[in-house]
Amino acid sequence: MMITATDVSKRFLGPHGAKQVLTNVSFEMPEGGHLGIVGPAGSGKSTVLNMIGGLVYPDAGKIKRNGTVSWITGRMRFERTMTVTQNLRFLGRILGYKDFDDMYARVQDVTGFTTQMKATFEQLDEPEKKLLNFATSLVFDFDIMLFDGAPYGGPEVKDRIEPLINKKLEHSMAVMTAATVKDLSDIYTHILVLADQGAELYDDRKEASKAMKKALAKVK
Amino acid sequence: MAHRLTAGRSSRVRTALSVQKSVIFAIATREMFRKFSDYKFGSMWVLFEPLMMMLFFMVMFGARGRGEFGFIEPPLFVLAAFLPFRGLFQGMVRETKSAPNVINGLSHLRQISLLDVMIARACMNFVVEMLVLIIISIGLIWLGYDPVPDHILETLFGFLLIALFGFGFGMVLLFLSTFAKEIDKFTAFINMPLLFTSAVFLPMSAIPEPYRTYLAYNPLVHVMEYIREMWFAHYTSPVVDMEYFTTWLVCMLGLALALYRLRWRKAVNK
């Protein structure tokens, strides 16, 4: 099993008091597929994603991952006063990746940066920032890559990054959240449908669609 | 291009300790950069504050007025009192208490734990204060004073102890504030009484009984006096009891780590 969740419960303290998001959720995601997470708004899609990524902890229960996991792709944050290379070096140190020159070369391959490498992050323009953000996900290897929705910004970023990410996913498992089953591409073999604080894992798109429709009808 | 991207799978498993080590180093270097490149005045203030304090004392008591401070010259007395208390103790409290603000900016990286941020910032603070000490000492030597501690290793050990105490105290304050936010208001107020009851402005030899006995209940007094005694061989403190202090220190750190284990998720909202 690549991802195993057992009896996971989570609630958040919000401005209107505590809100129970998940209650005793269990599922087992086998190796060799990709996982899509769907559910009505507020059903805890991002919470499950964050828990798989180790960014949020369950109140009760356990989530086990068998392999390394990325941060949420496209959501890397940079220190704006540090240069691009300084930011990369920081990230390399955190991840235990010592070959900094190789890291810079890979980032340059993806982004086509030249002088920008020595510029501070705040000096980059918006598409460059986006490009760099995805490039950091591409230069390191993870067994599981997380996506919170389709992450790309403008077409100039998407055209450049999407084929590279798809290539990467030949070796890594993707976990993506989406509003409906239709928003997930065909590569997602397993779909986790969240409803009523619970979750059910389907390996059939049609059944997942049906379950999702039911969940939406209940919310209305 | 493509061959390069797929080359080198780095999904090797690291031990928890090696992750922590590299994370602490990464955060320390990053914080160093943030502190000393962006906010220039902030880095100058570290040097400026003890210098101002020394000047103030020299004006108040005269540059060579020794009697008031147990026959320690005022600038040296201030250096030996103000730097450990303000720079190390209060500095450590500040760094550990503000660690959740720093980690909020790094919440996308699961490798970084709150304790890593605290340790990194505490180490950074210690190094910075030692640099300040060296710079000021060089200045004092140039002015004809003798700021080199008589027992250097013991003095450094005293610095380490007071820094550890601040680290534990800051953690306790931080985790107490996770029980009720109002506790913050109280802890902001606690700095002043501590400053006046920890033998910072006066040596214990200048304080009459029975107040001397009362103040001796404050564990910080003992480590301050220990540093003073080790720094100036001719000064003998009437109260130093390091067993009392280390008992406090061990209990404080134990409480801090226990609270950390129970409350760290509340402190970072995870």
Side-chain angles (χ1 to χ4, degrees):
Chain A
M1 288 298 140
M2 203 64 173
I3 303 166
T4 318
T6 33
D7 294 332
V8 170
S9 296
K10 181 73 186 176
R11 64 183 203 158
F12 285 106
L13 291 173
H16 311 296
K19 193 197 171 205
Q20 188 76 24
V21 183
L22 302 169
T23 311
N24 291 333
V25 168
S26 301
F27 63 90
E28 285 185 327
M29 175 67 197
E31 223 158 311
H34 297 289
L35 175 66
I37 303 173
V38 295
S43 61
K45 299 184 291 273
S46 300
T47 309
V48 173
L49 190 76
N50 281 327
M51 280 192 199
I52 293 172
L55 304 176
V56 166
Y57 290 76
D59 294 335
K62 254 189 186 154
I63 288 204
K64 267 189 195 162
R65 301 174 299 261
N66 185 16
T68 55
V69 62
S70 75
W71 54 88
I72 292 165
T73 308
R75 298 279 176 81
M76 172 54 58
R77 283 186 232 158
F78 298 91
E79 171 64 40
R80 55 184 181 79
T81 55
M82 286 186 347
T83 65
V84 173
T85 50
Q86 280 171 329
N87 271 300
L88 288 174
R89 224 158 37 227
F90 172 72
L91 196 57
R93 284 190 187 117
I94 297 281
L95 298 171
Y97 194 86
K98 301 253 162 57
D99 193 348
F100 294 148
D101 287 330
D102 177 57
M103 199 167 64
Y104 302 153
R106 286 177 182 217
V107 168
Q108 282 176 306
D109 270 352
V110 177
T111 56
F113 281 3
T114 47
T115 51
Q116 290 99 320
M117 294 297 277
K118 292 265 174 268
T120 60
F121 183 69
E122 61 187 348
Q123 287 169 337
L124 301 180
D125 57 34
E126 278 310 313
E128 283 175 335
K129 284 179 184 171
K130 272 247 143 112
L131 261 177
L132 179 65
N133 210 319
F134 288 111
T136 54
S137 290
L138 284 165
V139 297
F140 300 106
D141 286 301
F142 303 102
D143 299 327
I144 303 170
M145 287 188 82
L146 307 179
F147 301 87
D148 198 0
Y152 313 107
E156 66 269 67
V157 176
K158 186 172 175 171
D159 291 348
R160 198 162 187 145
I161 295 297
E162 205 173 16
L164 295 173
I165 294 226
N166 288 340
K167 190 149 182 60
K168 194 111 177 150
L169 292 182
E170 289 168 15
H171 304 278
S172 318
M173 170 191 283
V175 179
M176 185 187 278
T177 61
T180 62
V181 178
K182 264 184 221 148
D183 295 337
L184 294 166
S185 73
D186 288 334
I187 65 162
Y188 292 91
T189 52
H190 293 68
I191 294 171
L192 186 74
V193 181
L194 299 174
D196 278 345
Q197 305 176 8
E200 194 76 47
L201 185 67
Y202 297 92
D203 53 5
D204 183 89
R205 286 180 80 90
K206 274 187 188 150
E207 278 183 43
S209 281
K210 253 188 233 165
M212 181 62 193
K213 264 182 202 144
K214 224 190 246 173
L216 278 175
K218 240 184 200 174
V219 172
K220 277 167 191 165
Chain B
M1 181 160 127
H3 71 276
R4 205 168 199 164
L5 286 170
T6 49
R9 228 170 140 68
S10 69
S11 58
R12 63 213 160 78
V13 177
R14 294 184 289 161
T15 62
L17 196 68
S18 84
V19 174
Q20 187 164 35
K21 223 169 63 187
S22 53
V23 166
I24 290 173
F25 179 67
I27 295 174
T29 44
R30 177 188 155 110
E31 287 293 302
M32 188 98 74
F33 183 83
R34 275 159 50 116
K35 195 159 184 169
F36 290 102
S37 73
D38 190 24
Y39 189 52
K40 293 281 192 312
F41 186 72
S43 51
M44 287 308 287
W45 182 247
V46 190
L47 245 174
F48 227 69
E49 205 187 1
L51 280 177
M52 293 285 283
M53 211 61 204
M54 283 162 76
L55 258 172
F56 175 74
F57 266 64
M58 283 164 78
V59 171
M60 287 280 285
F61 301 102
R64 295 274 159 174
R66 292 156 173 244
E68 295 89 340
F69 303 116
F71 296 94
I72 301 167
E73 285 164 311
L76 298 185
F77 179 84
V78 174
L79 189 62
F82 199 72
L83 192 119
F85 188 83
R86 184 96 182 136
L88 291 175
F89 174 70
Q90 289 189 338
M92 290 295 172
V93 171
R94 188 189 58 230
E95 300 295 322
T96 45
K97 263 182 80 181
S98 61
N101 308 339
V102 176
I103 205 173
N104 279 341
L106 299 165
S107 56
H108 55 290
L109 289 167
R110 91 199 135 84
Q111 286 87 351
I112 301 173
S113 76
L114 185 59
L115 189 66
D116 297 338
V117 176
M118 287 177 177
I119 295 176
R121 285 168 66 92
C123 290
M124 246 266 303
N125 186 49
F126 196 84
V127 170
V128 168
E129 293 299 335
M130 287 304 109
L131 285 177
V132 168
L133 176 67
I134 291 170
I135 293 169
I136 293 181
S137 295
I138 291 172
L140 285 172
I141 291 172
W142 185 61
L143 289 173
Y145 291 96
D146 175 22
V148 181
D150 294 325
H151 304 285
I152 291 182
L153 280 180
E154 284 87 343
T155 310
L156 275 175
F157 181 60
F159 288 167
L160 205 65
L161 288 180
I162 197 170
L164 272 175
F165 195 82
F167 187 74
F169 190 61
M171 262 169 95
V172 170
L173 292 187
L174 168 66
F175 291 118
L176 282 182
S177 73
T178 64
F179 289 101
K181 210 75 204 119
E182 291 72 29
I183 294 176
D184 261 354
K185 294 203 173 74
F186 166 74
T187 55
F189 161 81
I190 206 168
N191 263 339
M192 260 301 161
L194 270 182
L195 186 67
F196 286 110
T197 57
S198 301
V200 179
F201 295 122
L202 284 171
M204 284 305 269
S205 62
I207 292 170
E209 289 286 6
Y211 307 106
R212 192 184 280 176
T213 317
Y214 298 155
L215 286 185
Y217 281 105
N218 180 350
L220 280 167
V221 163
H222 297 275
V223 71
M224 290 299 293
E225 288 284 286
Y226 174 78
I227 291 172
R228 208 165 279 146
E229 236 179 28
M230 291 305 137
W231 195 314
F232 311 104
H234 61 271
Y235 176 74
T236 311
S237 169
V239 292
V240 168
D241 180 358
M242 286 313 275
E243 207 181 310
Y244 179 73
F245 173 77
T246 42
T247 310
W248 261 92
L249 178 63
V250 169
C251 293
M252 180 76 87
L253 285 176
L255 179 66
L257 291 175
L259 279 171
Y260 181 90
R261 182 141 173 71
L262 292 172
R263 302 294 295 182
W264 74 270
R265 272 171 53 189
K266 287 275 182 292
V268 295
N269 270 325
K270 273 194 178 177

